[in-house]
Amino acid sequence: NTLIGDARAGRVIEVTPDKKVVWEYKSGDIANMRSRNSNRTPEGTTLIAVEAVGKLIEVDKAGKIIWTYQAEDNKRRLYIGHRLPNGNTFIGWGTCSNTNLNPPDCTEVAPNGSKVWEMWFDDRLLNSYRAFRNVYPPGSQRIQKQHLELVSGNTYNFTNTGVTLEV
């Protein structure tokens, strides 16, 4: 089946290969181009990025909102959210309306909404549009930077990668 987000009409639908709608979530809160991406979780719920207000909602099969993560300010645009195998949620932020700020580009949050980590681009003019967190195979090509002991509350700059990690 295919999950389709209709941002203009404010609905997310699941459609079978023979074009039958088998599930729908509809809300004025996501209408008029207020939503961005929708993704199904392994549990069968749906994560919907409400871009206009910087909020990620999780909707069950009955259409009930069962979890929400809200940006700390109203200047963030939330573009995408993915549920990770460990139960945390990975959020890809889009643009920020205030270029004097340097908010995170990606955030991982625990089920209780607490931040696990965040990542920034060093250059404030860089924006992420879609972000994904993938585990790469051990033999893949990658830039490797290592900190043997990460300490909560610290910020680590990964030189020559454009990545900053806050733990």
Side-chain angles (χ1 to χ4, degrees):
N1 292 351
T2 302
L3 197 63
I4 301 170
D6 183 346
R8 188 157 313 279
R11 69 183 190 146
V12 177
I13 58 173
E14 180 181 355
V15 181
T16 64
D18 62 346
K19 302 177 184 174
K20 180 181 177 190
V21 176
V22 293
W23 181 80
E24 177 181 37
Y25 174 76
K26 190 169 186 174
S27 170
D29 290 343
I30 63 172
N32 300 315
M33 306 305 288
R34 295 174 56 82
S35 62
R36 184 55 71 165
N37 286 290
S38 304
N39 292 289
R40 189 63 46 86
T41 69
E43 297 81 18
T45 58
T46 304
L47 293 172
I48 302 169
V50 187
E51 176 191 11
V53 293
K55 180 169 59 173
L56 184 67
I57 60 173
E58 182 176 5
V59 179
D60 66 13
K61 284 284 191 179
K64 178 182 173 191
I65 297 174
I66 59 171
W67 184 80
T68 300
Y69 184 80
Q70 177 72 52
E72 294 173 356
D73 60 46
N74 290 329
K75 297 171 180 67
R76 298 298 300 149
R77 299 291 186 184
L78 194 148
Y79 277 7
I80 197 164
H82 290 281
R83 183 63 37 82
L84 302 172
N86 65 2
N88 291 347
T89 302
F90 180 77
I91 297 168
W93 302 98
T95 59
C96 179
S97 59
N98 184 343
T99 57
N100 293 319
L101 299 176
N102 191 20
D105 290 285
C106 302
T107 303
E108 181 178 334
V109 296
N112 66 4
S114 64
K115 290 180 193 172
V116 176
W117 66 268
E118 293 188 309
M119 181 193 82
W120 289 260
F121 292 118
D122 291 339
D123 185 340
R124 289 181 187 198
L125 298 177
L126 291 176
N127 287 304
S128 64
Y129 180 71
R130 288 193 174 95
F132 300 89
R133 183 170 178 248
N134 298 304
V135 178
Y136 292 100
S140 69
Q141 291 182 339
R142 64 185 180 270
I143 297 172
Q144 186 170 347
K145 178 74 176 179
Q146 184 173 333
H147 284 284
L148 297 177
E149 295 182 19
L150 295 179
V151 179
S152 183
N154 284 350
T155 300
Y156 300 92
N157 294 312
F158 293 83
T159 308
N160 299 326
T161 65
V163 174
T164 301
L165 176 68
E166 184 176 291
V167 180

